[in-house]
Amino acid sequence: MTVTASKYARAANDLYQTEPWATEVLLRHFPVAGLRVWEPAAGNHLMADVLSAAGARVYTSDIATYDREHDVDFDFLNASDIWQYQCDAIITNPPYGKGNRDAVRFAELALERCDGMVALLLTAKFDFGKTRRHLFQDNPRFMAKIALLDRISWAGNGETGTEDHAWYVWGPGNYSHARMLWGGK
C-alpha cells in the first residue's frame, strides 16, 4: 500500500476515534491492570473503555465533549492550570496538528506530567527527523515502538486510513536500548 494525502476536510477539535484493536495491540505488550491511567484526548472513550476492560482505573479528559462526558474538561496543550491527577500512565491518541507540531508538544507535556508510562498513538514516521531526538535518541525513558501491521479506520466505516501508525512508549526508568515491536488485529 502507498501512503497518499487524505482528502478528509479537517475541522477544529475533530474527533478521531481509535478502533479498539489498536489499543489492544499496546496492551499485549504493556498490560495496564491495576494502573491509574489518564486518557487526556478521550473523545468518546473508545480507548478508555478498552483500558478499563483490561483492569486499569481510567480518568478521561478532552478539550471538547462529544457523546460522552469526561471526568474533567481539560485542554492538555493550552492549560494554564494543570489538572492535578496522579497517574501511573498517560495513554492516548493525541491531536497531531500541522507538521505533527501538536503531537510533539503533547509528547513533551505528557512526559513532564507523568513519571510513569507514556504511550502515544502516532504516525509511523513520527520518530523520524533530528528535531525529535529529545523524544527518542536522547531520551533515556524511550523504551519501545510498536508498529501497527493494519491500518486504522478513523471514520468507523471499515475503510482504512491512508497512513501507517505506531505506538510510542516511554517508561519510568532509563532504558539503554529501545525495542521495536509489531502487532495487528
Side-chain angles (χ1 to χ4, degrees):
M1 281 190 209
T2 345
V3 175
T4 59
S6 172
K7 294 176 179 62
Y8 184 76
R10 298 298 312 269
N13 301 328
D14 211 355
L15 176 63
Y16 286 88
Q17 300 190 91
T18 306
E19 290 182 289
W21 71 264
T23 305
E24 291 163 0
V25 168
L26 172 70
L27 300 180
R28 284 181 216 142
H29 298 285
F30 298 98
V32 295
L35 296 182
R36 296 168 298 168
V37 176
W38 180 8
E39 213 293 39
N44 279 329
H45 300 204
L46 294 185
M47 187 178 290
D49 290 344
V50 173
L51 296 168
S52 291
R57 183 173 177 193
V58 182
Y59 294 88
T60 61
S61 66
D62 205 317
I63 191 172
T65 300
Y66 302 95
D67 296 328
R68 292 175 66 182
E69 295 290 324
H70 310 298
D71 291 305
V72 65
D73 291 329
F74 185 77
D75 182 350
F76 195 85
L77 290 175
N78 298 308
S80 56
D81 295 322
I82 177 66
W83 178 37
Q84 295 300 319
Y85 168 62
Q86 289 293 325
C87 62
D88 301 309
I90 290 178
I91 300 174
T92 195
N93 170 19
Y96 299 167
K98 186 174 183 173
N100 278 319
R101 286 184 195 94
D102 288 347
V104 169
R105 187 67 184 134
F106 212 99
E108 293 166 345
L109 290 170
L111 290 166
E112 284 177 23
R113 294 172 180 171
C114 179
D115 293 334
M117 181 174 79
V118 172
L120 303 179
L121 181 62
L122 300 162
T123 60
K125 293 181 181 179
F126 183 76
D127 55 338
F128 290 15
K130 63 184 176 184
T131 62
R132 298 187 186 150
R133 275 191 185 150
H134 69 292
L135 294 173
F136 301 105
Q137 179 183 343
D138 298 339
N139 192 319
R141 289 182 60 189
F142 181 64
M143 63 180 186
K145 177 179 179 177
I146 308 169
L148 298 183
L149 300 175
D150 299 290
R151 288 192 175 158
I152 298 169
S153 173
W154 298 113
N157 60 7
E159 292 183 26
T160 59
T162 59
E163 283 228 38
D164 297 310
H165 288 81
W167 282 102
Y168 295 89
V169 185
W170 294 263
N174 291 325
Y175 301 89
S176 58
H177 298 5
R179 296 185 296 165
M180 183 68 202
L181 305 166
W182 295 266
K185 289 182 183 177

